[in-house]
């Protein structure tokens, strides 16, 4: 028996005498003890005393009784019993002393509870979306508005009391505001680039807002959940008609460009690129002279089937049904594929010769379990055949060839993979593999494939802001006391209070929405460096490169896909004295200047939110002329894909204000990163009017 007690069977604290374990008798052999009037008799019960007293299996135990395996406790826990015990207590342990651990749902961990329910065979939602299964946010079969009511719960972490509060957030009201703006602004039958962009940006802003609320609900036991935020937001948009290209069509989709990227299948559905949220083949019934036949509109190749994707311009696509590799791994019954539904549509499209849209699902470098969906343009089906799959069943195969003359998409991704893997790259135009000389946690390459210029003018690379003299705060900030890190809904956190009772970032580090001023934790806070409220302080998270543009000098782009709301970088440089800048007047050199006193339109906000533009608490002007970072190379655009956000880090006496940049929407690799330089008030323009070269449909022609 002694040998059977392995290392894993012994608790991780305290010590014990194994000989006592060998002397333990079965529970049926233990005799209960009753309190007595005198210590000499254990079996006589005094009048008025309880006939039987038992002790919890976890103690505390009387002095003459030692705990036995597996109930080991520290000697300190015995002290109250030794001081207060008046009568002997039985060392018998009743069976009902063993308690079943509380359920996962009782602890607010609904995801764990759903996993447990699945293991027990209980029915679950088939779509992963409560709306699609006829359920509301409370998982009941009734209709209701998903309004988050205020809840409060006191939690404890590491001896620290945490008050968890959920402010009132009406998602339906947000959706109604989005619908009003969408209806009033985009009335045309066919969608355009602007309406598609608005639908996608609004969708992701709502998805991030729902995510923000759901992360707070996770910490409140019993709080109703509304399912996956991406599906929830998509369902609300579809039900309200906030979508583009609702009329399904063959060929190109208005407002959608080759190379566009998406991080959720629901986004493909909202813009009319691919209707099914799960299926890989989208098809439409088309009438011919005699009957209606299905024709394929689009396909998604994301690795679920045995597709061949090595060639950038040729795709060998496997049909649907019967042989899914996931079913093969799960041990499900496998069958031959049938020439029906999507498979039949692909066969009909082969003979009809219509164009088919191809979306490729690729691995998301920032999320190992996620995917990035890339629209790779139009293909034609050239041939089909039946083959034996890995499961041994018959599989339909279709060879699709990309139409010539389209912009590159998947080809760019494959080239980037090659550049990253090569130790000695042969890439054309590469000047430096890392112009930061190790100052950043990721290398920043320097490339010129336009002309013979060998690089920008010399400057010193620094990764953060440099104040020439401290700026005193009007109100000193003590910082938060969140020792383990700031958590959603913690009403005790001073940083959360300053951000309107919300953490400004999701758990993935995405900015929920643009604010006039964002408060991050700083040197005066007790939270660790990996706190969720220190996103802009951890350096670069995507591979950037400085490149030579055709007509705007040097610019900045990314080798990685960028999600909407992702932090890009901060504007590093030397803080200038604003009075000195005003004295310079027309001699003021602003080629590498960031001026926080300029105004621009807010980008990362939803209709109904505060329209107050980003505003620094004091005039901030940064020069990146002689010392700076990659931000100095970002060019201006009247339709930017990057927004700037003032970020104030908590310090006791001195202001620690920074300018951080975030993605407005999803940005494909090799796309130039731009932000709106803004407009200086006319009385302070110093005759610095410049011609705008952004080429946007919203171009103002000039900027200051």
């Amino acid at each position: 028996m002694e040998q059977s007690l392995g290392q894993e069977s012994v608790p991780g604290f305290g010590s014990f005498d194994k000989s006592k374990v060998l002397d333990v008798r079965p529970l049926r052999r233990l005799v209960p003890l009753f309190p007595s009037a005198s210590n000499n008799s254990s079996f006589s019960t005094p009048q008025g005393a309880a006939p039987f007293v038992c002790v919890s299996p976890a103690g505390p135990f009387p002095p003459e009784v030692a705990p036995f395996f597996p109930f080991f406790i520290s000697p300190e826990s015995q002290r109250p019993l030794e001081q207060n015990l008046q009568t002997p207590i039985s060392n018998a342990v009743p069976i009902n002393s063993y308690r079943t651990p509380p359920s996962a749902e009782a602890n607010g961990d609904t995801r764990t509870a759903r996993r447990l329910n699945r293991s027990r065979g209980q029915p679950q939602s088939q779509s992963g979306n409560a709306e699609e299964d006829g359920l509301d946010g409370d998982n009941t079969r009734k209709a209701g508005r998903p309004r988050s009511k205020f809840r409060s719960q006191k939690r404890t972490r590491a001896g620290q009391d945490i008050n968890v509060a959920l402010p009132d957030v009406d998602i339906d009201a947000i959706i109604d505001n989005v619908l009003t703006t969408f209806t009033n602004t985009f009335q045309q039958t066919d969608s355009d680039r602007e309406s598609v962009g608005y639908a996608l940006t609004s969708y992701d802003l709502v998805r991030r807002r729902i995510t923000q609320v759901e992360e707070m609900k996770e910490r409140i036991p019993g709080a109703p959940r509304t399912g996956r935020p991406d599906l929830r937001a998509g369902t609300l948009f579809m039900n309200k008609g906030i979508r583009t290209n609702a009329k399904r069509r063959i060929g190109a989709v208005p407002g959608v460009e080759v190379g566009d990227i998406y991080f959720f299948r629901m986004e493909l559905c909202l813009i009319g690129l691919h209707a099914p949220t799960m299926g890989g083949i989208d098809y439409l019934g088309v009438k011919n002279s005699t009957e209606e036949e299905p024709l394929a509109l689009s396909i998604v190749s994301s690795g679920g089937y045995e597709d061949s994707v090595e060639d950038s311009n040729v795709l060998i696509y496997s049909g649907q049904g019967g042989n899914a590799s996931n079913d093969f791994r799960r041990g499900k019954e496998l069958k031959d594929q049938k020439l029906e539904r999507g498979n039949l549509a692909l066969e009909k499209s082969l003979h009809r010769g219509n164009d088919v849209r191809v979306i490729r699902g690729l691995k998301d470098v920032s999320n190992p379990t996620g995917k990035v969906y890339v629209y790779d343009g139009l293909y034609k089906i050239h041939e089909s055949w039946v083959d034996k799959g890995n499961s041994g069943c018959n599989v339909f195969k279709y060879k699709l060839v990309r139409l010539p003359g389209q912009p590159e998409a998947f080809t760019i991704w494959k080239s980037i993979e090659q550049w990253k893997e090569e130790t000695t790259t042969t890439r054309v135009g590469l000047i430096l593999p890392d112009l930061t000389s190790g100052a950043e946690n990721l290398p920043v390459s320097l490339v010129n494939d336009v002309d013979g210029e060998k690089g920008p003018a010399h400057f010193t690379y620094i990764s953060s802001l440099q104040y020439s003299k401290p700026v005193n705060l009007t109100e000193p900030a003590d910082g938060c006391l969140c020792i383990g890190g700031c958590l959603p809904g913690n009403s005790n956190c001073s940083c959360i209070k300053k951000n309107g009772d919300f953490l400004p970032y999701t758990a993935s580090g995405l900015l929920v929405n643009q604010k006039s001023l964002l408060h991050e934790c700083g040197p005066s806070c007790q939270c660790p460096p990996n706190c969720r409220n220190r996103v802009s302080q951890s350096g670069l998270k995507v591979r950037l490169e400085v490149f030579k543009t055709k007509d705007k000098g040097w610019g900045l782009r990314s080798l990685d896909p960028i999600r909407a709301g992702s932090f890009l970088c901060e504007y590093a440089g030397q803080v200038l004295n604003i009075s000195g800048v005003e004295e310079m007047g027309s001699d003021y050199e602003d080629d590498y200047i960031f001026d926080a006193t300029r105004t621009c339109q807010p980008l990362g906000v939803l209709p109904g939110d505060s329209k107050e533009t980003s505003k620094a608490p004091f005039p901030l002007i940064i020069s990146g002329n002689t010392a700076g970072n990659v931000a100095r190379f970002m060019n201006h655009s009247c339709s930017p894909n990057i927004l700037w956000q003032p970020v104030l880090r908590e310090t006791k006496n001195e202001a620690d204000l920074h300018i951080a940049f975030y993605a407005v929407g999803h940005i494909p690799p090799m796309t130039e990163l731009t932000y709106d330089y803004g407009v200086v008030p006319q009385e302070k323009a110093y005759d610095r009017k410049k011609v705008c070269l952004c080429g946007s449909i919203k171009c103002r022609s000039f900027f200051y």
Side-chain angles (χ1 to χ4, degrees):
M1 179 176 178
E2 184 174 353
Q3 295 177 350
S4 65
L5 292 173
Q7 183 177 359
E8 295 182 356
S9 301
V10 181
F13 58 89
S15 60
F16 68 97
D17 185 356
K18 292 186 179 180
S19 62
K20 293 183 179 181
V21 177
L22 299 178
D23 292 338
V24 172
R25 297 180 180 182
L27 292 179
R28 64 177 180 270
R29 298 281 305 275
L30 300 179
V31 179
L33 299 178
F34 295 91
S36 60
S38 64
N39 293 335
N40 297 329
S41 175
S42 299
F43 296 97
S44 59
T45 305
Q47 187 175 3
F52 178 74
V53 181
C54 67
V55 66
S56 167
F61 295 93
E64 65 273 11
V65 177
F68 58 87
F69 181 82
F71 305 111
F72 297 99
I73 58 174
S74 61
E76 287 75 8
S77 61
Q78 299 278 13
R79 293 176 182 173
L81 182 62
E82 295 175 0
Q83 298 172 358
N84 302 323
L85 183 65
Q86 301 296 329
T87 58
I89 296 180
S90 169
N91 62 350
V93 183
I95 297 297
N96 59 8
S97 293
Y98 297 92
R99 295 183 178 179
T100 303
S103 66
E105 287 184 300
N107 288 331
D109 189 356
T110 55
R111 290 178 294 185
T112 302
R114 285 195 289 268
R115 289 195 295 268
L116 293 174
N117 289 338
R118 285 195 292 269
S119 66
R120 298 170 188 143
Q122 296 186 18
Q124 296 296 312
S125 168
Q126 297 299 316
S127 66
N129 180 12
E131 281 290 318
E132 294 180 359
D133 292 307
L135 306 176
D136 68 355
D138 296 318
N139 293 331
T140 54
R141 296 275 172 180
K142 62 182 180 180
R145 293 173 65 85
R147 184 185 179 95
S148 302
K149 297 182 179 179
F150 182 90
R151 295 175 180 269
S152 181
Q153 181 74 24
K154 191 170 184 178
R155 306 289 293 273
T156 301
R157 184 183 68 181
Q160 180 185 10
D161 288 337
I162 300 176
N163 291 320
V164 183
L166 179 64
D168 187 20
V169 179
D170 194 341
I171 300 298
D172 283 303
I174 296 175
I175 296 296
D176 290 339
N177 290 330
V178 174
L179 175 62
T180 300
T181 303
F182 184 78
T183 303
N184 294 339
T185 307
F186 308 104
Q187 296 288 346
Q188 62 269 35
T189 303
D190 277 341
S191 304
D192 58 9
R193 187 68 174 170
E194 188 176 1
S195 62
V196 168
Y198 177 84
L200 290 174
T201 302
S202 300
Y203 163 79
D204 202 73
L205 284 168
V206 171
R207 184 196 63 80
R208 280 178 269 160
R209 183 68 62 85
I210 295 176
T211 300
Q212 185 184 52
V213 174
E214 290 299 303
E215 288 175 354
M216 298 173 70
K217 288 182 179 180
E218 288 180 357
R219 307 187 59 246
I220 301 179
R225 306 293 298 279
T226 57
R228 282 172 46 181
D230 59 317
L231 297 179
R232 179 61 183 158
T235 301
L236 292 171
F237 270 56
M238 295 292 286
N239 291 342
K240 292 288 186 177
I242 309 174
R243 57 182 304 186
T244 62
N245 300 301
K247 181 180 179 181
R248 302 167 71 192
R249 68 191 74 203
I250 295 174
V253 176
V256 178
E257 296 181 356
V258 176
D260 286 349
I261 63 172
Y262 313 91
F263 285 84
F264 301 97
R265 287 286 296 264
M266 184 61 75
E267 293 174 312
L268 307 178
C269 182
L270 287 175
I271 61 174
L273 186 61
H274 185 83
T277 57
M278 294 293 292
I281 305 174
D282 186 13
Y283 57 93
L284 177 69
V286 178
K287 291 184 178 180
N288 56 22
S289 57
T290 57
E291 59 182 358
E292 183 177 271
E293 62 180 10
L295 293 180
L297 305 180
S298 60
I299 61 173
V300 175
S301 175
S302 57
Y305 288 81
E306 302 164 11
D307 300 339
S308 175
V309 296
E310 296 303 320
D311 193 323
S312 301
N313 295 310
V314 177
L315 171 65
I316 307 300
Y317 187 78
S318 299
Q320 64 180 191
N323 77 308
S325 58
N326 290 333
D327 293 341
F328 178 62
R329 288 192 296 266
R330 294 169 185 165
K332 292 184 178 181
E333 181 182 359
L334 302 177
K335 300 178 181 179
D336 292 339
Q337 289 187 349
K338 298 180 180 179
L339 192 61
E340 60 183 13
R341 299 181 300 168
N343 297 339
L344 180 60
L346 289 172
E347 190 69 27
K348 294 292 184 180
S349 293
L350 168 63
H351 299 290
R352 179 72 73 94
N354 65 279
D355 298 339
V356 178
R357 299 186 294 271
V358 171
I359 301 101
R360 295 182 184 254
L362 307 175
K363 182 180 179 181
D364 183 4
V365 294
S366 63
N367 181 12
T369 61
K371 288 186 178 297
V372 184
Y373 298 96
V374 184
Y375 175 46
D376 200 30
L378 300 177
Y379 283 64
K380 281 190 182 294
I381 305 175
H382 279 225
E383 59 179 307
S384 67
W385 65 94
V386 177
D387 201 354
K388 287 290 184 182
N390 293 336
S391 62
C393 299
N394 289 335
V395 179
F396 287 101
K397 297 284 187 176
Y398 302 90
K399 180 180 179 181
L400 293 92
V401 179
R402 195 168 190 261
L403 298 183
Q406 301 181 90
E408 292 183 344
F410 182 56
T411 304
I412 294 178
W413 288 70
K414 293 185 71 67
S415 298
I416 293 174
E417 288 182 2
Q418 182 180 356
W419 298 337
K420 290 180 179 180
E421 293 174 357
E422 290 179 348
T423 55
T424 57
T425 182
T426 58
R427 181 182 176 187
V428 176
L430 180 66
I431 300 173
L432 287 174
D434 184 14
L435 65 83
T436 75
S437 300
E440 300 282 5
N441 50 9
L442 291 175
V444 178
S445 52
L446 179 65
V447 177
N448 182 3
D449 54 6
V450 175
D451 54 34
E453 188 176 355
K454 294 302 181 182
H458 175 75
F459 72 100
T460 301
Y461 196 97
I462 58 176
S463 58
S464 191
L465 204 58
Q466 295 180 346
Y467 281 87
S468 58
K469 61 180 181 179
V471 179
N472 296 327
L473 290 174
T474 55
E475 297 181 1
D478 295 330
C480 68
L481 304 177
C482 306
I483 297 176
C486 300
L487 295 176
N490 183 4
S491 59
N492 294 333
C493 177
S494 58
C495 296
I496 290 180
K497 290 180 180 179
K498 292 178 180 178
N499 285 306
D501 297 327
F502 289 98
L503 269 176
Y505 302 105
T506 68
S508 302
L510 303 179
L511 180 69
V512 176
N513 59 285
Q514 189 177 15
K515 305 170 70 68
S516 59
L517 179 63
L518 189 150
H519 293 267
E520 277 194 350
C521 298
S524 63
C525 297
Q526 297 188 23
C527 54
N530 62 349
C531 174
R532 284 180 50 173
N533 198 30
R534 295 178 182 263
V535 170
S536 71
Q537 304 172 37
S538 55
L540 301 182
K541 295 179 176 61
V542 293
R543 289 276 302 265
L544 300 174
E545 84 172 16
V546 176
F547 74 105
K548 186 65 180 296
T549 67
K550 294 182 179 180
D551 55 0
K552 294 180 293 185
W554 296 94
L556 186 68
R557 61 190 179 193
S558 172
L559 295 176
D560 297 325
I562 303 176
R563 285 184 63 173
S566 296
F567 168 72
L568 182 70
C569 63
E570 70 167 288
Y571 200 104
Q574 298 172 329
V575 177
L576 300 180
N577 187 340
I578 189 170
S579 60
V581 173
E582 292 175 348
E583 291 175 359
M584 282 190 259
S586 59
D587 295 330
Y588 173 39
E589 175 60 51
D590 67 343
D591 283 345
Y592 295 106
I593 287 287
F594 182 91
D595 189 350
T597 64
R598 301 185 181 191
T599 59
C600 57
Q601 292 296 321
L603 298 172
V605 295
L606 286 165
D609 287 351
S610 174
K611 290 298 186 295
E612 185 178 357
T613 60
S614 297
K615 185 178 181 181
F618 57 86
L620 179 66
I621 298 179
I622 307 169
S623 171
N625 191 28
T626 59
N629 68 340
V630 292
R632 71 196 293 270
F633 295 106
M634 272 196 289
N635 287 312
H636 162 82
S637 176
C638 299
S639 297
N641 51 20
I642 299 293
L643 62 87
W644 64 272
Q645 170 71 64
V647 176
L648 185 64
R649 299 171 186 171
E650 295 297 291
T651 54
K652 290 186 179 296
N653 299 315
E654 299 175 2
D656 192 12
L657 181 65
H658 295 254
I659 301 298
F661 294 94
Y662 302 85
V664 176
H666 304 325
I667 305 176
M670 305 299 285
T671 301
E672 184 177 4
L673 306 175
T674 59
Y675 72 97
D676 188 352
Y677 286 4
V679 178
V680 175
Q682 187 64 38
E683 64 274 11
K684 297 182 179 181
Y686 313 128
D687 297 325
R688 287 182 283 124
K689 183 183 292 187
K690 291 189 175 183
V691 177
C692 179
L693 301 174
C694 72
S696 165
I697 58 174
K698 295 183 178 180
C699 184
R700 300 192 294 263
S701 299
F702 296 94
F703 69 90
Y704 296 92

